[in-house]
Amino acid sequence: MVIALSLLLLVACSLGFLFFSKQIVIWYNKSLAEITAKEEALSTEYKELKKRKNSLKSEIQNIEQKIFLLKNDWIEAPEETPTLKKNTKSSGEDVSHWLLSSGRITMEQHQKAQKLTGKVAQDFVETCIVLDFLDEKTIKEARRIMRTGQLPPREIKAPK
C-alpha cells in the first residue's frame, strides 16, 4: 500500500510538472508571436520613416538651391548672353555659379567643391572633375566658359 501511494504521488507530480511545462511553452509561444508582430510593425514604420526622411532631404536640397538662386538673382534668364566681369568675380566663381544654377551640380556638391578648391585641385572645375561631379559635356562647356569668359544662356532647371 505504501508503494501504491508513492506511485500515485509520483504520477500526480509528473502530471503537474507536464501541465505547468505545457503552460510555460504556451506562454512562451504567445509572447514570441507578440514580439514578432511588434517587430514587423516597427520595421514597416521604420522603412516608411526612412523614405520620408529621404524625401525631406531632397526637398530641403531643392529649397536650398531655390534660395541660393533667389539670393543671387539668378531666377530670371537675362536677355543677352552675359560675359564675365573681370573686376567683380573670377571666371571660376562664375563657372561655379553657372554649374549650380543650371542644375549640373547640387548645392551640396557646390559647397563641397568650394571647400576643397585649392586643396584637391587648382580651380573649381578641376575640383569638380576630381570629385567626379561633372560629365564630359559639362567639363567641355565649363572649360570653354573659363577660356572665353562668356557664359551660355541661362538654363534654370526647376527643382522637382
Side-chain angles (χ1 to χ4, degrees):
M1 172 111 158
V2 174
I3 294 179
L5 282 176
S6 297
L7 190 55
L8 186 62
L9 185 60
L10 183 62
V11 168
C13 288
S14 296
L15 288 175
F17 175 76
L18 288 175
F19 174 76
F20 286 117
S21 63
K22 183 170 175 125
Q23 291 301 317
I24 290 172
V25 168
I26 290 170
W27 171 82
Y28 172 79
N29 288 336
K30 183 179 175 184
S31 297
L32 187 62
E34 289 174 2
I35 290 170
T36 303
K38 286 179 183 178
E39 182 182 23
E40 287 175 8
L42 288 173
S43 177
T44 303
E45 184 179 359
Y46 173 76
K47 287 176 184 175
E48 289 172 5
L49 289 173
K50 195 171 182 179
K51 283 181 186 177
R52 179 72 176 140
K53 177 185 170 189
N54 290 336
S55 170
L56 289 173
K57 274 186 175 181
S58 176
E59 193 175 328
I60 287 170
Q61 187 176 13
N62 289 335
I63 290 171
E64 284 176 345
Q65 191 168 12
K66 279 184 179 178
I67 289 170
F68 181 82
L69 296 174
L70 285 170
K71 186 177 172 184
N72 290 300
D73 295 327
W74 284 8
I75 289 300
E76 296 179 11
E79 290 106 28
E80 60 186 52
T81 302
T83 56
L84 300 179
K85 298 175 186 142
K86 298 294 181 190
N87 47 358
T88 58
K89 288 183 180 178
S90 72
S91 61
E93 288 178 36
D94 275 346
V95 171
S96 74
H97 293 289
W98 171 74
L99 289 169
L100 180 64
S101 67
S102 62
R104 286 173 171 78
I105 60 173
T106 64
M107 178 65 84
E108 185 178 283
Q109 290 172 328
H110 183 268
Q111 290 170 345
K112 186 174 185 177
Q114 275 187 326
K115 281 183 186 176
L116 296 175
T117 298
K119 297 176 186 171
V120 173
Q122 293 287 344
D123 60 33
F124 187 84
V125 174
E126 291 298 320
T127 303
C128 287
I129 292 169
V130 169
L131 296 173
D132 198 29
F133 293 160
L134 306 177
D135 59 22
E136 287 300 317
K137 182 182 175 188
T138 305
I139 292 170
K140 288 178 185 176
E141 285 182 81
R143 285 187 173 152
R144 184 189 56 75
I145 291 167
M146 290 182 73
R147 186 179 63 254
T148 64
Q150 189 166 350
L151 294 171
R154 306 248 172 162
E155 300 170 15
I156 306 292
K157 291 185 180 178
K160 296 175 184 175

